[in-house]
Amino acid sequence: MFNFSYKTQRYLILFGFLTIPVLLSLTFSYYPAISLVYYSLTDWSGLGWDMNFIGLDNYKEIFTKPEVFGALKNNLYYFIGGLVQVALSLYFAVILTGKLRGRNGFRAMLFIPYVLHSVATVIMFKNLYHMEYGSLNVLLGSIGLESWQQSWLGNKHLVNFSLAFISMWKYMGLNMVIFIGALQSIPSDLYEAASIDGANGRQKFRFITLPSIRKVTELMLILTLTGALEAFDIPYVMLLGANDTSTFVIKTVDTAFKYQNFGLASAMAVILLIMVLVFIVIQRKLLFREER
């Protein structure tokens, strides 16, 4: 038996608990990231290990192809939908935090879409948006709004709005639950003191609620931004990026697996990572400046 001092035992325990998470991070996060950067400097096809170092040629090709960054305009629809989603999530969170009969049932109803698998959600909305038998057009026809009936997935001016609405509907419940947790952490004494001072509901929301959940709101906006830049599953499963619905990630996946150019796709993934980091820094500096 080894007789270690208390200090040595504590260091051994800490080392033991930290070793596994660090090894997992190095194995599944940092090593793949470093490999991604290396592959972006090669002409690897993704088959075998036959690759040549070509330097920054992949990055030069990306910046000389306007259609690559042109896909980002479709990501903008998801960002706008995400902002609407955050506002609606906060609205429902405020309502369902109050004394409303059956509020737990309403919370469950709004959260269920997030639990559904993305493929099942897309199949459901395919039936909703179908031109002939879609329930949306059937509903519009039954209430006398036949002129509003559209080919929701065939019209290039509407298809990205339709897809962004699916994303907004699916993830709104998760944001609402996070906001509810933040609202419930606000001490009720603040609202009672504000009521004594004669503050109305709007003033309580502006001067108590919003400042108290500032950090959570910042997190929601960061997730909205990153989610918009990384939009993939809904447009890909619905239309495979057809009808001008291809996002930056869809372009990256097609480059890797459809055209078997993993080197170029890796460079696109690195650029996406840089864009996410840059936009997060800009967002934090402009919208949520650190308090001194």
Side-chain angles (χ1 to χ4, degrees):
M1 297 294 294
F2 296 98
N3 294 322
F4 295 113
S5 64
Y6 172 76
K7 185 177 181 180
T8 303
Q9 292 180 24
R10 190 176 68 170
Y11 280 128
L12 288 175
I13 293 173
L14 291 175
F15 179 78
F17 277 105
L18 290 175
T19 300
I20 295 178
V22 169
L23 289 176
L24 290 175
S25 297
L26 291 175
T27 304
F28 296 105
S29 295
Y30 294 104
Y31 174 73
I34 295 173
S35 299
L36 181 70
V37 175
Y38 174 73
Y39 294 147
S40 69
L41 303 175
T42 67
D43 61 353
W44 187 37
S45 65
L47 300 175
W49 295 105
D50 185 16
M51 63 182 75
N52 299 311
F53 185 82
I54 58 175
L56 299 176
D57 289 353
N58 287 326
Y59 294 93
K60 294 178 182 178
E61 184 176 352
I62 292 173
F63 286 101
T64 55
K65 285 186 175 180
E67 65 271 13
V68 175
F69 286 101
L72 287 174
K73 66 181 177 60
N74 294 331
N75 294 81
L76 184 62
Y77 292 95
Y78 296 92
F79 180 66
I80 296 174
L83 294 179
V84 176
Q85 174 197 109
V86 171
L88 290 175
S89 301
L90 180 57
Y91 173 76
F92 285 115
V94 171
I95 293 178
L96 297 178
T97 305
K99 297 179 180 180
L100 180 68
R101 180 177 297 178
R103 61 182 180 181
N104 291 331
F106 287 112
R107 290 177 181 176
M109 290 173 58
L110 292 173
F111 185 73
I112 284 176
Y114 175 72
V115 180
L116 296 176
H117 195 277
S118 296
V119 176
T121 301
V122 169
I123 293 174
M124 181 177 65
F125 273 89
K126 267 191 175 181
N127 295 324
L128 177 71
Y129 287 144
H130 196 277
M131 179 63 185
E132 297 178 2
Y133 60 79
S135 54
L136 180 56
N137 281 340
V138 171
L139 174 63
L140 293 174
S142 64
I143 59 178
L145 296 175
E146 291 84 358
S147 60
W148 288 23
Q149 292 178 335
Q150 298 285 339
S151 176
W152 303 99
L153 299 177
N155 189 333
K156 288 187 176 182
H157 301 290
L158 293 176
V159 61
N160 284 302
F161 287 104
S162 302
L163 296 178
F165 176 80
I166 300 174
S167 178
M168 182 179 69
W169 177 83
K170 177 175 176 59
Y171 294 103
M172 186 181 67
L174 174 64
N175 292 346
M176 180 199 68
V177 170
I178 295 175
F179 275 127
I180 288 177
L183 292 174
Q184 290 178 341
S185 66
I186 302 175
S188 59
D189 297 345
L190 297 177
Y191 293 104
E192 295 175 0
S195 299
I196 295 175
D197 292 337
N200 55 33
R202 183 177 300 178
Q203 291 171 330
K204 292 178 184 177
F205 179 78
R206 178 182 177 184
F207 295 105
I208 298 178
T209 304
L210 283 181
S212 299
I213 62 172
R214 186 178 69 90
K215 291 295 183 181
V216 176
T217 305
E218 178 182 355
L219 173 63
M220 292 295 100
L221 292 178
I222 290 175
L223 293 177
T224 298
L225 176 62
T226 56
L229 289 174
E230 299 170 0
F232 169 74
D233 52 350
I234 291 175
Y236 191 79
V237 175
M238 180 72 82
L239 296 170
L240 295 177
N243 198 20
D244 196 26
T245 60
S246 182
T247 61
F248 192 85
V249 176
I250 292 178
K251 288 280 189 183
T252 304
V253 172
D254 285 343
T255 301
F257 297 99
K258 187 175 180 180
Y259 303 110
Q260 293 186 348
N261 193 340
F262 273 71
L264 182 60
S266 298
M268 295 172 66
V270 171
I271 291 176
L272 177 62
L273 175 62
I274 294 174
M275 286 193 298
V276 170
L277 294 176
V278 169
F279 280 118
I280 288 176
V281 171
I282 293 175
Q283 186 181 62
R284 289 180 61 87
K285 294 296 183 182
L286 294 182
L287 298 181
F288 299 96
R289 298 177 180 178
E290 295 292 335
E291 296 181 0
R292 295 182 179 179

